[in-house]
Amino acid sequence: MTIDTQQDLSAPAPTVIDDVDVPADLADRRRRAVAEAVAHAQPAATGNRRAAVGIRRYGPGCVALALRGRFDRVGRERLRVLAGDLERQAGTELVIDLSGLEGCDPGLARVLARLRIRCLAREARVELHDPPEALAAELGQFRL
């Protein structure tokens, strides 16, 4: 994924998502895409080194998103802008890895909930991996 952290947020450029070149098995591609998104996460916004976003495509309409660290207001806004591109490009499936997220405030929960709802409304499958407990509760995905 290429994130331009110097750009003006009011006029975002389209997000370029790198493809994962792995076996034909969708489950293997999904796992590999999540691992690569995690490994190649980049700062969410200029000046915010604590929050990072990684994105990989693993098939037509299939996108993996990984969030790392703690998102401040600027990082949340950058993620909100990216969410529009993600929604359009994840027409079949969106996997969101939240295992590296350090907490979740209400603003980040709203951005993720909106992205999830919009993808589901377009009949895309949405998976959340390891959300923080508060976020899981907010999104109705209680852990046992």
Side-chain angles (χ1 to χ4, degrees):
M1 173 190 76
T2 305
I3 297 178
D4 181 1
T5 58
Q6 301 298 321
Q7 73 183 26
D8 176 15
L9 293 178
S10 63
T15 304
V16 176
I17 302 176
D18 297 327
D19 289 318
V20 174
D21 184 26
V22 290
D25 179 63
L26 179 61
D28 287 342
R29 283 198 320 266
R30 183 183 302 119
R31 277 190 294 278
R32 182 67 166 276
V34 168
E36 285 193 19
V38 167
H40 299 287
Q42 298 177 7
T46 303
N48 184 346
R49 298 276 183 233
R50 297 182 331 181
V53 176
I55 306 173
R56 288 292 186 270
R57 181 182 5 255
Y58 55 95
C62 299
V63 176
L65 169 67
L67 302 181
R68 298 275 165 276
R70 181 170 295 281
F71 282 74
D72 62 9
R73 183 188 57 76
V74 175
R76 287 190 308 270
E77 179 59 21
R78 179 65 183 134
L79 183 59
R80 188 192 64 72
V81 170
L82 284 172
D85 285 340
L86 291 171
E87 175 192 340
R88 285 184 291 281
Q89 294 189 38
T92 303
E93 187 171 281
L94 175 64
V95 177
I96 306 172
D97 181 273
L98 302 165
S99 61
L101 201 57
E102 296 174 11
C104 184
D105 63 32
L108 182 58
R110 282 190 298 274
V111 171
L112 292 172
R114 197 172 306 124
L115 172 61
R116 182 174 171 243
I117 289 168
R118 288 181 176 164
C119 287
L120 289 170
R122 296 177 74 159
E123 299 184 5
R125 180 173 175 253
V126 179
E127 280 184 21
L128 297 178
H129 290 211
D130 299 318
E133 197 169 317
L135 178 59
E138 182 84 22
L139 298 175
Q141 303 222 324
F142 299 97
R143 293 180 177 184
L144 297 178

